[in-house]
């Protein structure tokens, strides 16, 4: 049985989510691989400078920064992080090489940025010729040295832009695989709810109003309060589903506010796909996961893009416009105008049709890509073995 090792970390929720969803898809397809998931942060704890001197992991600091909304200096923070990673590159390679010799994978798959040079170099030292794959969990790369490195490996891209970037880094077309989008949990492909109207009513919502779902990741965001207040003070007629994640303080604040607009407030849930089916459009940050989830549910999106937006997510806003699947504003202070435009019948219908046309099946496609990569590696290894036999017989 071939062994595949998936590497993720928890700086943001998308990396673990993508690895887990793909593992589920592989099992559902009945593929006879031994897939193991490894948290890179746990493996490299002893090299974590922030933990060593401040007692907090880098990924925990990153997540705290996201929850607090302190993202204005994220470009400078990223440069500092990359400097630290480069400084510890040799030590990281040695540690990873020791790890590969213990786990002995036939293929390594990375779902994390920044470390792909170290992954590739160490795995090639341990097992020359075995394939290393990077699966981008962002719609596009944010170079330099974020996702795609100039080295011999395979790259799985979820957009045409990412494919172009891979080519620009010297990767041949037969080492680039184009998926139809971001990896989503299989639950986003479950059969649709039979009676959306009845489900809305069950949540205390009306059957006849345009419905927005407001979602800002697993810990919510205080900007959701601002969005609620601005829409409350507007003349618009709509209703809102707020998903606050693990931010109970935010959920309580929203529930406590009197409102003329019908609303439903939920905390942490594994039923985001269900709530999205009850909505008509999405309001949130331009994260690759949440935007892709919304579009899979045929929900056009309203997102903002400005200096506070994480640098690796800024292209996502351009991608929304390029694909005609939503509205981008500089700030959610402009939310009333954006929602007013979105709920115009012609606009909403056009955006919904464009979203339906994307047909993201990445979570089901990528296992087949892995199979091709493994078959190619086996073929090359067999050819090299035959060549070696010929050499010895001469």
């Amino acid at each position: 049985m071939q062994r595949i090792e998936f590497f993720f970390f928890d700086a943001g929720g998308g990396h673990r989510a993508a690895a887990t969803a793909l593992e589920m898809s592989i099992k559902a397809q009945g593929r006879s691989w031994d897939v193991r998931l490894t948290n890179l942060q746990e493996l490299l704890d002893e090299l974590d400078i922030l933990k060593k001197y401040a007692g907090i992991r880098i990924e925990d600091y990153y997540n705290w920064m996201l929850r607090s909304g302190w993202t204005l200096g994220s470009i400078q923070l990223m440069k500092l992080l990359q400097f630290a990673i480069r400084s510890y590159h040799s030590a990281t390679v040695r540690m990873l090489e020791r790890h590969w010799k213990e786990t002995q994978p036939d293929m390594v798959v990375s779902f994390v940025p920044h470390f792909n040079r170290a992954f590739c170099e160490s795995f090639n030292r341990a097992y020359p010729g075995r394939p290393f794959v990077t699966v981008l969990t962002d719609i596009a790369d944010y170079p330099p040295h974020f996702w795609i490195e100039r080295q011999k490996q395979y790259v799985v891209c979820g957009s045409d832009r990412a494919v172009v970037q891979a080519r620009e880094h010297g990767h041949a077309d037969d080492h680039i695989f184009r998926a139809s989008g971001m990896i989503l949990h299989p639950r986003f492909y479950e059969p649709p709810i039979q009676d959306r109207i009845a489900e809305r009513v069950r949540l205390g919502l009306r059957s006849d109003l345009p419905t927005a779902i407001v979602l800002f990741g697993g810990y919510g965001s205080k900007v959701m309060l601002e969005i609620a207040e601005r829409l409350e003070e507007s003349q618009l007629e709509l209703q809102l589903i707020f998903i606050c994640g693990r931010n109970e303080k935010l959920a309580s604040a929203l529930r406590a506010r009197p409102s003329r607009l019908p609303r439903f407030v939920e905390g942490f849930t594994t039923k985001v796909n269900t709530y999205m089916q009850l909505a008509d459009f999405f309001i949130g940050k331009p994260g690759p996961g949440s935007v892709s989830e919304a579009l899979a549910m045929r929900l056009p999106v309203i997102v903002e893009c400005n200096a506070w937006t994480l640098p690796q997510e800024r292209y996502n806003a351009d991608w929304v416009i390029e694909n005609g699947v939503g509205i981008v504003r500089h700030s959610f202070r402009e939310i009333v105008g954006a929602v007013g435009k979105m709920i115009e019948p012609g606009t909403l219908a056009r955006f919904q049709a464009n979203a339906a046309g994307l047909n993201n099946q990445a979570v089901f496609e990528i296992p087949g890509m892995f199979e091709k990569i493994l078959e190619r590696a086996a073929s090359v290894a067999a050819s090299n073995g035959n060549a070696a036999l010929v050499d010895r017989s001469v």
Side-chain angles (χ1 to χ4, degrees), residues 5 10 19 21 40 48 57-58 72 83 99 116 121 126 138 151 165 170-171 217 224 240 246 258 289 291 301 339 376:
E5 189 162 5
D10 289 319
L40 176 63
D48 190 327
R57 287 175 164 181
I58 288 177
L72 184 60
F83 174 77
H99 174 78
N116 288 296
E121 184 176 329
D138 283 304
Q151 57 193 12
Q165 291 173 316
H171 295 280
M224 295 169 71
L240 301 155
R246 291 182 170 84
V291 166
V301 303
V339 171
R376 188 179 302 172

Side-chain angles (χ1 to χ4, degrees), residues 89 93 100 116-126 151:
H89 175 76
V93 168
W100 307 135
N116 288 296
R117 178 181 162 217
F119 280 140
C120 189
E121 184 176 329
S122 59
F123 192 46
N124 188 57
R125 284 187 185 181
Q151 57 193 12

Side-chain angles (χ1 to χ4, degrees), residues 15 56 69 131 133 142-143 145 189 191 262 274 293 304-305 331 353 376 390:
H15 311 285
I56 181 174
V133 186
Y142 179 74
H145 309 299
Y189 301 89
T274 300
E293 289 170 356
E304 69 173 1
C305 186
S331 168
R376 188 179 302 172
V390 170

Side-chain angles (χ1 to χ4, degrees), residues 250-367:
L250 172 64
S252 297
L254 284 166
R255 292 188 184 108
R257 287 192 173 196
S259 175
R260 72 173 182 87
L261 301 177
R263 68 171 56 161
F264 175 78
V265 180
E266 179 67 285
F268 175 76
T269 178
T270 59
K271 298 180 179 179
V272 171
N273 60 312
T274 300
Y275 291 120
M276 283 186 170
Q277 289 188 57
L278 305 182
D280 298 303
F281 62 97
F282 166 93
I283 300 172
K285 71 185 187 75
S290 54
V291 166
S292 296
E293 289 170 356
L295 295 175
M297 298 290 97
R298 302 187 179 186
L299 302 185
V301 303
I302 297 176
V303 297
E304 69 173 1
C305 186
N306 51 43
W308 294 85
T309 305
L310 293 172
Q312 67 269 28
E313 294 183 352
R314 294 179 187 179
Y315 171 74
N316 301 351
D318 296 335
W319 183 89
V320 165
I321 295 173
E322 291 167 4
N323 287 273
V325 291
I327 296 170
V328 178
R329 290 291 181 262
H330 180 71
S331 168
F332 281 117
R333 289 191 292 269
E334 306 169 56
I335 189 62
V336 173
V339 171
K341 180 179 179 182
M342 176 65 77
I343 63 178
E344 293 174 359
T347 302
L348 185 59
R350 184 177 75 254
F351 284 157
Q352 287 175 333
N354 291 342
L358 293 176
N359 191 28
N360 175 11
Q361 300 289 315
V363 72
F364 309 115
E365 299 165 343
I366 294 176

Side-chain angles (χ1 to χ4, degrees), residues 80-344:
L80 180 62
L81 174 62
Q82 289 187 327
F83 174 77
I85 290 171
R86 288 195 297 271
S87 299
Y88 281 82
H89 175 76
S90 296
T92 302
V93 168
R94 288 193 298 271
M95 182 174 294
L96 286 170
E97 185 178 356
R98 289 197 301 270
H99 174 78
W100 307 135
K101 290 179 178 178
E102 292 175 2
T103 60
Q104 301 180 8
D106 296 289
M107 182 168 76
V108 170
V109 181
S110 165
F111 295 85
V112 301
H114 299 303
F115 288 91
N116 288 296
R117 178 181 162 217
F119 280 140
C120 189
E121 184 176 329
S122 59
F123 192 46
N124 188 57
R125 284 187 185 181
Y127 300 107
R130 296 190 186 184
F132 168 64
V133 186
T134 297
V135 178
L136 275 70
T137 64
D138 283 304
I139 294 175
D141 194 12
Y142 179 74
H145 309 299
F146 191 72
W147 278 107
I148 305 173
E149 297 280 0
R150 192 177 294 274
Q151 57 193 12
K152 188 174 182 180
Q153 65 157 107
Y154 294 91
V155 184
V156 178
C157 305
S159 72
D160 291 339
R161 173 61 180 152
V163 169
V164 170
Q165 291 173 316
R167 288 173 179 154
E168 289 173 347
H169 280 74
H171 295 280
D173 284 348
D174 64 353
H175 279 59
I176 303 170
F177 288 83
R178 170 66 157 95
S180 55
M182 298 291 97
I183 297 171
L184 304 181
H185 194 284
R187 69 170 65 100
F188 284 89
Y189 301 89
E190 293 174 355
I193 293 173
Q194 294 300 311
D195 193 340
R196 296 172 69 237
I197 300 304
E199 285 299 308
R200 284 183 180 180
V201 172
R202 188 180 66 82
L203 298 181
L205 302 173
R206 284 171 49 179
S207 62
D208 60 336
L209 287 179
T211 306
I213 185 166
V214 186
L215 171 63
F216 281 77
Y219 290 89
S221 169
K222 61 183 179 181
V223 76
M224 295 169 71
L225 295 170
E226 178 185 347
I227 290 170
E229 183 176 352
R230 290 183 181 276
L231 292 175
E232 183 70 30
E233 294 173 351
S234 75
Q235 301 301 310
L236 297 173
E237 292 295 328
L238 74 155
Q239 56 193 2
L240 301 155
I241 298 172
F242 291 96
I243 308 296
C244 301
R246 291 182 170 84
N247 194 333
E248 276 303 318
K249 182 178 179 181
L250 172 64
S252 297
L254 284 166
R255 292 188 184 108
R257 287 192 173 196
S259 175
R260 72 173 182 87
L261 301 177
R263 68 171 56 161
F264 175 78
V265 180
E266 179 67 285
F268 175 76
T269 178
T270 59
K271 298 180 179 179
V272 171
N273 60 312
T274 300
Y275 291 120
M276 283 186 170
Q277 289 188 57
L278 305 182
D280 298 303
F281 62 97
F282 166 93
I283 300 172
K285 71 185 187 75
S290 54
V291 166
S292 296
E293 289 170 356
L295 295 175
M297 298 290 97
R298 302 187 179 186
L299 302 185
V301 303
I302 297 176
V303 297
E304 69 173 1
C305 186
N306 51 43
W308 294 85
T309 305
L310 293 172
Q312 67 269 28
E313 294 183 352
R314 294 179 187 179
Y315 171 74
N316 301 351
D318 296 335
W319 183 89
V320 165
I321 295 173
E322 291 167 4
N323 287 273
V325 291
I327 296 170
V328 178
R329 290 291 181 262
H330 180 71
S331 168
F332 281 117
R333 289 191 292 269
E334 306 169 56
I335 189 62
V336 173
V339 171
K341 180 179 179 182
M342 176 65 77
I343 63 178
E344 293 174 359

